[in-house]
Amino acid sequence: MKIVVLIKEVPDTYGERKLNIETGLADRGASEAVLDEIGERSVEVALSHADAHPGTEVVVLSMAPEGSAATIRKGLAMGAGSAVHVVDPGLVGADTGLTAEVLAAALRRVGFDLVIGGNVSTDGSGGVLPAMIAELLDVPSATSLNAVEITEDRVSGERASDAATMRVSATLPAVISVTERLPEGRFPNFKGIMAAKKKPFETVTLADLGIDPEAPEASRSIVIGVSEKPPREAGVKIVDEGDAGEQLAEFLAQNRLV
Amino acid sequence: MTDFAEDSVLVLVDVMPSGGLAKSAAGLLGAAASIGTPVALVVTEPGKSAGAAEQAAALGAARVLIADSADASVLTVPAVDALAAAAELVRPDAVLLSNSIEGRDAAGRFAARTRSGLAVDVVGVSRDDEGVVAHHSVYGGAYNVDSAVTFGAPVITVRQGAIDARAEAVAEPSVEQLSVTASGRQAATIESIDEAVVTSSRPELRGAGKVVSGGRGLGSKEQFELVERLADALGAAVGASRAAVDAGYVPQAHQVGQTGVSVSPQLYVALGISGAIQHRAGMQTAKAIVAINKDADAPIFDVADFGVVGDVFTVVPQLIAAIESKQK
C-alpha cells in the first residue's frame, strides 16, 4: 500500500506571526518555521500502519517555498520513505483552489492508495483542501477522523461532525483528514535524521505537473486589503487584598456583563 | 422557476441529523441579507425538510430550495450535487456556507468542481463596485484581511458566531423543490450516526456570548469545578487552555486557542491561564477580557481589561457571591 501524507510548513504558533502589510503574504522571516503539528500526527498515522504492515510505502508531499526543504525532511527523519516537494515561483500567494489543483496533480504523478492530511492547519485554518483534492481526483473523502483503521482496500473511522459523531468508511483509493485526537508524531531519533539524508527527495515544478497558475478558466481568491489590528492594551491590574472578587463583580456590573 | 433576484445569495444551511437547522443558519442568512436576497438551500434525506424550510424563512430566506432526496448514508457529495444544481438555477452573486465541518467539506468540493474562488473562515461580507468582498480575521485576530475573487460568484464559509446581523423573517416564503442530478462522484459511506446529546444546560462554547475558561492553575479535575460554578453564575460557556485539556481536567472540545475553538464573546474570563500566544490567538478578539492569575507577570494580563493578581480559589468564590447578590 502506498500512503501519501500531506504536510505543511507553518509559522510557529507559539511565536509571533506576521503578515506583510504590502503584499498580504505571510512574513516568513518573522517567526520560526515548523512542520505543522497536525501534519506530524498525519505522518504518525501512516507510520504506525507501516510499522504493523511491512510493504507499506509512506511518502510525504508538500507544496512550499524553496527554503522549506529542511522542514519537509523532518517527515523523512520521522520515518517516511520518500518526499515530494512542489516548489515554483508561480505559487507565491496561491489560493486554496490552485493549491488543491497542484496537490491533486502531484498525487496523480506520485500514485496513492490513501492520502492523509490534517483537518485544519494552524496558520490558515482553512480546512478545505482534503475535500477539494478528493473532488479533483474523484475519490471518496472522509474528513475530521478521530480514529483511523486502514485495511487492504478500505479506510474507516470515527468522524467528528458538527452535531454528531459518525462512523464512516471509504473504499481505497481515498483521501482522509485527521484531528488532534490522533496520537502525536514520533520524535525523530539520530538514526532517523541520518537516514533521512539518503532518502529520495524529489523537487517538482508546475511545468512538471502541467499546471498553469494563471489558467483563465479558474476563478481565484485574492487578497485586496490587509491591515494590522492595533494590539490590545492592558487595562486595570489589581493585586488581591481581600476584596478583588468584589471589585471584579463591580467592573462586570458597570460594563453590563452581569 | 428562473425568476431569481439579480442579487441572489445562495446559502447552504446546515441541517442537524434530527432535521432542524443548525444554529449557524441565522448568521448565514443575516450575512446573505446584508449583501443581497437570501435563497436558502435545504438538503435533507426524504421527509425531513418541512421544519427546516419554515425555519429558514423565519431567519430571512425569501426563497427556499428543497433537495430532500439525499441519500443519508453518503457523505458530502449529495449536498455538493444539490448545491451545483441550485447554483445553476439561481446564478447567485455569492454562495455562503457555514465554516463547520460539513460546510467546509461541501464548500471545498463545490469550489473545486466549479473552479470557483473560495474564501474560508470569513467573519463578515460586504459589497463594493466589483462584487462581494469577504472579511477575514487572521492569525488569531492580529490582522484584518479582505479578499475577493477574480471573477464569478465567490464561495464563502462563514465563521460560526461571527455575524451578529439577523435578517427579517419572511412570512410567505416561496418554497420550491430542486431537481438534482447525481454527479456519481466517489464518496465515503456513513455507517452510523450518534447525534451529540446536549448533556449540559450551559451554552455551547462556539458562538457563546460569555466564556469562562480555566487553565493549569486550577490544579486538578476536581478543582476545575470552580470554573463551571463561575460559568453558571454568569450564564457562560466553559472553556479551557490546552494545558488544562492536556492535564485531563476537561475534554478537548472545551479547548480555546489556535488549535481549539476560536471565540469572540462579549466577556472572556481566564482563570489560572498564563496566556500563551497559542491561547490568546483563540480569544483576544473578545470584547472584554478578565484574568485572574497568581503570577503577576503572566502574559494574559497584557490583553486583560481587568486583571487580578491573586489566588483563583479565594477570588472566584468571592466573585460568585458578589454576582449572586447583584442578581437578587
Side-chain angles (χ1 to χ4, degrees):
Chain A
M1 174 171 314
K2 189 171 197 174
I3 303 177
V4 184
V5 183
L6 305 177
I7 57 173
K8 185 177 186 188
E9 182 181 87
V10 298
D12 189 353
T13 310
Y14 295 90
E16 193 176 7
R17 301 177 297 175
K18 283 191 181 296
L19 284 186
N20 182 314
I21 294 293
E22 301 288 313
T23 62
L25 299 174
D27 182 348
R28 290 181 184 263
S31 45
E32 200 189 339
V34 297
L35 181 57
D36 201 355
E37 188 191 301
I38 197 70
E40 295 182 3
R41 288 176 200 257
S42 308
V43 173
E44 184 59 39
V45 171
L47 292 178
S48 55
H49 181 76
D51 290 345
H53 299 84
T56 306
E57 188 184 347
V58 178
V59 183
V60 288
L61 167 62
S62 189
M63 180 186 119
E66 210 162 342
S68 305
T71 303
I72 298 167
R73 213 170 275 282
K74 186 174 178 192
L76 296 178
M78 286 174 72
S82 62
V84 178
H85 179 189
V86 185
V87 52
D88 197 289
L91 288 171
V92 172
D95 71 344
T96 52
L98 178 56
T99 305
E101 286 169 25
V102 166
L103 291 173
L107 285 163
R108 273 193 210 101
R109 179 188 159 103
V110 172
F112 63 94
D113 295 299
L114 177 63
V115 178
I116 307 177
N119 61 338
V120 285
S121 64
T122 48
D123 58 346
S125 326
V128 289
L129 280 164
M132 297 181 92
I133 291 166
E135 178 73 23
L136 294 172
L137 295 170
D138 192 10
V139 298
S141 51
T143 56
S144 286
L145 298 184
N146 283 338
V148 181
E149 297 113 54
I150 303 164
T151 62
E152 263 316 282
D153 57 355
R154 283 187 93 68
V155 60
S156 53
E158 177 193 293
R159 178 169 181 265
S161 179
D162 304 293
T165 304
M166 45 179 77
R167 263 207 70 80
V168 296
S169 71
T171 50
L172 300 181
V175 175
I176 63 169
S177 74
V178 299
T179 70
E180 281 196 325
R181 297 280 291 278
L182 272 299
E184 276 180 33
R186 61 192 66 185
F187 201 72
N189 58 23
F190 181 71
K191 201 174 138 209
I193 293 166
M194 294 311 288
K197 295 183 178 171
K198 299 200 180 79
K199 287 179 177 171
F201 191 106
E202 191 186 10
T203 303
V204 177
T205 64
L206 285 179
D208 295 333
L209 297 175
I211 287 187
D212 172 8
E214 286 167 12
E217 63 276 16
S219 177
R220 301 296 182 200
S221 174
I222 52 170
V223 170
I224 57 172
V226 188
S227 61
E228 189 169 4
K229 268 194 214 156
R232 221 187 152 97
E233 288 189 17
V236 184
K237 182 158 116 184
I238 61 166
V239 176
D240 182 26
E241 284 169 353
D243 64 346
E246 277 155 21
Q247 287 192 48
L248 187 44
E250 198 49 46
F251 168 83
L252 295 177
Q254 278 168 8
N255 290 280
R256 299 174 182 277
L257 293 166
V258 282
Chain B
M1 300 275 281
T2 50
D3 54 334
F4 288 90
E6 284 275 319
D7 67 348
S8 287
V9 176
L10 181 59
V11 177
L12 176 66
V13 288
D14 280 353
V15 180
M16 314 281 277
S18 56
L21 289 192
K23 249 173 61 183
S24 57
L28 281 175
L29 289 162
S34 73
I35 53 169
T37 306
V39 178
L41 170 61
V42 174
V43 182
T44 67
E45 56 190 295
K48 283 201 174 172
S49 61
E54 245 167 64
Q55 286 178 43
L59 294 171
R63 311 273 299 252
V64 182
L65 298 173
I66 302 282
D68 62 359
S69 56
D71 182 343
S73 71
V74 182
L75 189 60
T76 313
V77 168
V80 179
D81 293 349
L83 193 53
E88 190 66 34
L89 182 70
V90 176
R91 303 258 160 210
D93 281 355
V95 178
L96 302 190
L97 306 91
S98 173
N99 193 53
S100 58
I101 287 162
E102 304 299 345
R104 280 202 302 255
D105 278 2
R109 277 189 174 265
F110 175 73
R113 189 182 294 183
T114 56
R115 303 196 82 179
S116 303
L118 173 60
V120 290
D121 197 20
V122 159
V123 297
V125 289
S126 62
R127 262 186 197 270
D128 69 8
D129 298 343
E130 296 181 9
V132 173
V133 177
H135 306 286
H136 309 250
S137 176
V138 176
Y139 285 168
Y143 294 87
N144 294 322
V145 173
D146 295 343
S147 76
V149 296
T150 47
F151 62 88
V155 179
I156 296 171
T157 70
V158 178
R159 184 183 292 181
Q160 297 176 72
I163 307 280
D164 294 328
R166 293 291 178 266
E168 270 182 49
V170 175
E172 290 181 13
S174 132
V175 180
E176 296 142 69
Q177 285 287 329
L178 178 70
S179 121
V180 179
T181 313
S183 63
R185 289 265 150 184
Q186 294 292 314
T189 303
I190 302 173
E191 293 173 348
S192 62
I193 297 186
D194 279 326
E195 187 156 10
V197 272
V198 182
T199 50
S200 136
S201 53
R202 289 190 194 107
E204 202 185 319
L205 182 55
R206 208 179 287 276
K210 293 176 189 170
V211 176
V212 179
S213 285
R216 182 96 80 181
L218 272 299
S220 72
K221 190 173 177 177
E222 291 66 39
Q223 296 184 139
F224 197 86
E225 189 246 356
L226 185 65
V227 176
E228 295 166 4
R229 279 176 52 210
L230 179 57
D232 290 343
L234 287 166
V238 171
S241 69
R242 181 168 178 166
V245 170
D246 286 350
Y249 300 169
V250 59
Q252 206 264 336
H254 293 279
Q255 185 174 319
V256 172
Q258 185 67 43
T259 53
V261 176
S262 285
V263 295
S264 294
Q266 296 295 317
L267 172 65
Y268 188 88
V269 182
L271 303 179
I273 291 177
S274 65
I277 262 189
Q278 198 275 346
H279 184 76
R280 289 184 349 234
M283 47 64 78
Q284 65 187 358
T285 54
K287 304 280 187 306
I289 297 174
V290 167
I292 306 174
N293 199 304
K294 61 176 187 245
D295 174 10
D297 298 323
I300 192 76
F301 290 124
D302 298 343
V303 296
D305 299 290
F306 196 101
V308 176
V309 182
D311 183 351
V312 290
F313 298 106
T314 56
V315 179
V316 175
Q318 189 182 59
L319 172 61
I320 293 170
I323 290 169
E324 283 168 353
S325 74
K326 280 184 197 298
Q327 285 168 342
K328 272 179 196 151

